Amino acid sequence: MLGVALVVSCKSISQTANGPVDEKATKETAALYKNLFRLKEKGYMFGHQDDLAYGVEWKYEKGRSDIKDVTGDYPAVYGWDLGRIESKSDKNLDGVPFDTMREFIKQVYDRGGVNTLSWHVNNPLSGRDSWDNAQGTVASVLPGGSQHEKFKVWMDNAAEFMLSLKGSDGKPIPILYRPYHEFTGHWFWWGKNTTTPQQFKELWKFTVQYFENKGVHNLIYVYNTSDSNVTTEADFMEYYPGDEWVDVVSFDIYNGGEGEKQAKFVADTKRLVAIIDKVAKEHNKLSAIAEAGYEAVPYSNWWTNTLTDAIGDKKISYVLLWRNHGWNEHMTPPKMHYYVPYKGQLSADDFIEYYKKENTLFQKDVTKFKLYK
Ligand code: BMA
């Protein structure tokens, strides 16, 4: 509370009908925003987390990508995570050096692809990671809260990174920024079980305003729920900070297994896609599936069958598949942790068919589209 809503809630609504939330968005950011509305009429972009950094059987090989190994083309959207930027660590939480990430982001922009950032930010109250879902954390970072000043320093570190992203043309690189993701789940410190709608909205507005005041004008803001606790449009909108604060509405969803679980993934995705499609139309926003996947893709036709069926004919901007880590040391018994096929993987042939579909857009498609002009 403490006045933040009063101070920051005076954006002009008319602006957002034609441009992104940030009224001072750079030319390229505003162009991307506008072009994404045109692009969705052609199809949806395929995205992959950490695509250029590592794959199931390799790490940091120049130009390599599991998607490219399989299809000959890169994805159109590339996801990266800022986790650990808060402590100015050299590497993010999954070991990607921030300097390398900056280079990847530049390469992507230079060839007309799209970058998106999430932030698995540590819990500022407990000092543990973002999965420490302790009561009162969001309250503690809001103005007047015990961790507010500390959180501002963390935001400064993130802002510094955002400001350092420049293309070969010297322009700030537009980023689809997805703060406080999956908040309807109960696993992150900003999750709805430990945060009221009012607190979440304040945190969101504070974040947008803080970046804008730091001169960060290359962000397109992505609102993101999990599939957890979202049955209806009202559930999806319960923590929505308002049309003046959000550019893209999205959700994350994972296929948890075969049989009934696979059917559930399709049914839930269909329902959620219908919700974001309706919200996007009524609020003049873009929409996306910001994270999805079936770990280790054990079903050979998952791409042309399950995922294609789940998305249907709704006009979303992109679907992003999670990272291809390979061996996952966090899990017992040890399991392979990856979400897109590598060469020779069970679903690789099907992925090639999926790649060839007219409405799935990869790097070559979006390069032609000139999203930043
Ligand atoms: C999770 C897993 C973790 C990873 C985290 C942040 O879904 O992939 O291994 O640390 O995302 O990228």
Side-chain angles (χ1 to χ4, degrees), residues 76-307:
V77 175
Y78 304 70
W80 311 104
D81 196 275
L82 290 176
R84 306 288 186 270
I85 198 97
E86 54 273 27
S87 50
K88 287 206 142 192
S89 161
D90 291 344
K91 293 178 177 173
N92 87 344
L93 80 166
D94 298 318
V96 183
F98 285 109
D99 286 344
T100 314
M101 192 188 293
R102 184 184 297 109
E103 269 310 303
F104 288 144
I105 290 173
K106 183 179 179 191
Q107 278 173 33
V108 167
Y109 170 76
D110 284 353
R111 61 172 177 246
V114 176
N115 289 288
T116 177
L117 280 169
S118 50
W119 188 6
H120 283 82
V121 54
N122 282 344
N123 182 318
L125 188 59
S126 69
R128 289 194 281 268
D129 67 20
S130 54
W131 287 270
D132 179 20
N133 182 227
Q135 288 291 337
T137 309
V138 169
S140 82
V141 304
L142 290 173
S146 64
Q147 305 305 314
H148 183 62
E149 292 308 314
K150 178 175 166 185
F151 195 62
K152 285 200 315 201
V153 174
W154 291 9
M155 295 276 301
D156 290 343
N157 295 342
E160 190 183 34
F161 185 77
M162 304 289 199
L163 288 168
S164 75
L165 303 172
K166 298 272 171 63
S168 291
D169 59 5
K171 309 282 191 205
I173 300 175
I175 298 290
L176 303 178
Y177 180 47
R178 181 169 65 104
Y180 316 117
H181 66 292
E182 299 179 358
F183 67 84
T184 57
H186 291 173
W187 42 87
F188 294 131
W189 59 257
W190 53 87
K192 69 176 286 185
N193 61 327
T194 55
T195 310
T196 66
Q198 173 73 9
Q199 286 168 337
F200 186 84
K201 292 176 194 183
E202 284 188 20
L203 177 64
W204 186 281
K205 293 174 187 179
F206 167 77
T207 301
V208 173
Q209 194 86 358
Y210 196 83
F211 281 137
E212 288 184 7
N213 289 340
K214 289 278 156 184
V216 178
H217 298 300
N218 53 332
L219 304 184
I220 288 176
Y221 288 91
V222 183
Y223 173 82
N224 177 249
T225 71
S226 139
D227 61 328
S228 258
N229 301 309
V230 185
T231 307
T232 64
E233 180 183 341
D235 297 334
F236 184 81
M237 296 301 275
E238 195 186 357
Y239 284 61
Y240 185 70
D243 286 348
E244 318 91 284
W245 302 95
V246 170
D247 294 310
V248 184
V249 291
S250 72
F251 66 90
D252 292 1
I253 188 162
Y254 286 88
N255 185 151
E258 347 166 35
E260 263 174 42
K261 286 186 176 160
Q262 194 153 335
K264 182 176 178 345
F265 168 80
V266 173
D268 287 353
T269 304
K270 277 184 195 285
R271 193 187 67 250
L272 287 160
V273 165
I275 290 174
I276 58 171
D277 185 62
K278 179 164 182 282
V279 170
K281 280 185 186 137
E282 289 176 2
H283 297 255
N284 195 25
K285 301 295 169 193
L286 295 159
S287 69
I289 303 179
E291 277 184 41
Y294 188 0
E295 192 177 56
V297 219
Y299 172 47
S300 60
N301 290 333
W302 195 76
W303 305 98
T304 60
N305 188 339
T306 315
L307 185 62

Side-chain angles (χ1 to χ4, degrees), residues 93-94 120 131 322-323 328 330 337:
L93 80 166
D94 298 318
H120 283 82
W131 287 270
W322 205 241
R323 62 198 201 99
N328 191 333
H330 311 302
H337 184 58

